[in-house]
Amino acid sequence: MTSPTDHDLPLLNATPPGLYRHYKGGWYEVIDTVRCSETLQGMTLYRALYGEGLKTGGQWVRPAAMFAEHGRFDGTAQPRFAPHDPARVPLGDLATAHALIAHLRGRARRERQLQLDTALRPPPPEPTACCGRGCNGCVWEGFYEALHHWRVDALALLG
Ligand code: SF4
């Protein structure tokens, strides 16, 4: 059996790399689109930016057509995965902060062969003390503000 030439292959329907959010709230990073050797269909290569996925960096594929699907999910017409601009993602919760940091570190490794924490600086540390009384000058506001500055500098480095 001969291998198919590029000319014979069906359209890849590539998923643009970047930061995505599943309609249930989880953050994901699309790395690339690859082709299944058996069906020849495009497969989105991605990783989860939360839970075990964040710890292990495990990568997954699912059909690109399914990744790009719009449908009625949880009773609302919406995309299964929505793209988000990392420069504009609102910072105000830890799940988003962790996802953004992992996404920018991953991009630096893949696109620039850089360790962002040394090529730039580590992201700001999470607060460990909380007054518990609803104080002025909340430590979390300071953290998200510092994280925003880190993001701006990281994106400038990535070009
Ligand atoms: S304002 Fe911030 S630091 Fe103070 S109790 Fe609330 S969360 Fe903690």
Side-chain angles (χ1 to χ4, degrees):
M1 178 184 155
T2 57
S3 298
T5 65
D6 281 357
H7 187 68
D8 300 326
L9 295 174
L11 275 179
L12 197 59
N13 290 320
T15 312
L19 188 62
Y20 286 77
R21 195 165 207 178
H22 190 264
Y23 72 91
K24 287 187 176 170
W27 287 103
Y28 291 83
E29 177 182 53
V30 170
I31 297 163
D32 208 343
T33 305
V34 295
R35 196 180 291 282
C36 172
S37 63
E38 304 309 303
T39 66
L40 303 182
Q41 69 177 321
M43 306 291 287
T44 303
L45 173 67
Y46 68 99
R47 67 179 179 128
L49 299 179
Y50 61 90
E52 277 304 302
L54 201 54
K55 286 188 209 145
T56 63
Q59 298 180 356
W60 297 80
V61 291
R62 76 164 67 193
M66 183 184 180
F67 199 96
E69 203 171 40
H70 281 60
R72 201 156 185 86
F73 302 118
D74 281 351
T76 304
Q78 56 183 324
R80 185 185 297 279
F81 290 92
H84 285 262
D85 180 352
R88 294 172 181 277
V89 167
L91 296 173
D93 66 277
L94 267 183
T96 300
H98 292 164
L100 178 77
I101 292 167
H103 171 62
L104 293 177
R105 281 174 171 160
R107 274 184 58 186
R109 275 197 308 273
R110 288 191 304 277
E111 297 174 14
R112 297 279 186 273
Q113 291 75 53
L114 289 177
Q115 296 296 329
L116 206 44
D117 291 35
T118 47
L120 175 62
R121 62 183 181 277
E126 287 169 27
T128 54
C130 174
C131 70
R133 297 189 304 272
C135 36
N136 285 327
C138 170
V139 292
W140 289 100
E141 285 174 13
F143 168 69
Y144 290 121
E145 182 68 21
L147 182 58
H148 169 68
H149 290 300
W150 182 83
R151 146 171 77 181
V152 169
D153 292 344
L155 288 168
L157 188 68
L158 289 171

